Amino acid sequence: MRETERMLQGYGLTTAEFYYRMPDYRHVLNSFIWQDYDLAPDYPQLFKFIEFWQEKLEGPLHSVRFTHRKLISPGEWRNVVGEFRLH
């Protein structure tokens, strides 16, 4: 239920792809996919993770690409009181 409440508060799913250099082989790029519920346009969770990466992990970041999508909004939520079944 926590995720639904967050979505109704305006949170959306943010997906980020991090490209980083390998600590021992600086000429090799690797990628990492990260997802979390976040608020646009400030993206506090994303920037918190980027700060964690820069402080705690050895592989320096090359670039970050991300997208944000609201999965549900208050206007899309409706109560369904009936259901029709065929066969």
Side-chain angles (χ1 to χ4, degrees):
M1 188 82 170
R2 184 172 183 248
E3 291 176 358
T4 303
E5 290 173 357
R6 289 182 82 176
M7 286 186 274
L8 289 173
Q9 293 171 354
Y11 282 79
L13 187 63
T14 300
T15 304
E17 185 173 16
F18 293 83
Y19 291 98
Y20 63 96
R21 297 191 184 278
M22 299 294 291
D24 296 336
Y25 303 97
R26 297 293 173 138
H27 61 281
V28 176
L29 283 177
N30 204 356
S31 67
F32 175 77
I33 303 293
W34 173 88
Q35 282 188 326
D36 200 0
Y37 290 102
D38 212 350
L39 285 169
D42 296 329
Y43 304 104
Q45 297 296 329
L46 175 61
F47 286 110
K48 182 178 174 183
F49 185 76
I50 290 173
E51 288 175 8
F52 165 78
W53 187 294
Q54 291 174 338
E55 292 173 6
K56 306 288 183 184
L57 301 179
E58 292 182 17
L61 286 174
H62 176 270
S63 59
V64 178
R65 293 179 7 176
F66 72 95
T67 185
H68 179 81
R69 172 83 169 117
K70 283 191 172 184
L71 301 177
I72 190 171
S73 67
E76 296 174 357
W77 185 262
R78 60 189 171 121
N79 186 20
V80 177
V81 294
E83 183 176 320
F84 296 101
R85 292 183 183 232
L86 296 175
H87 302 287

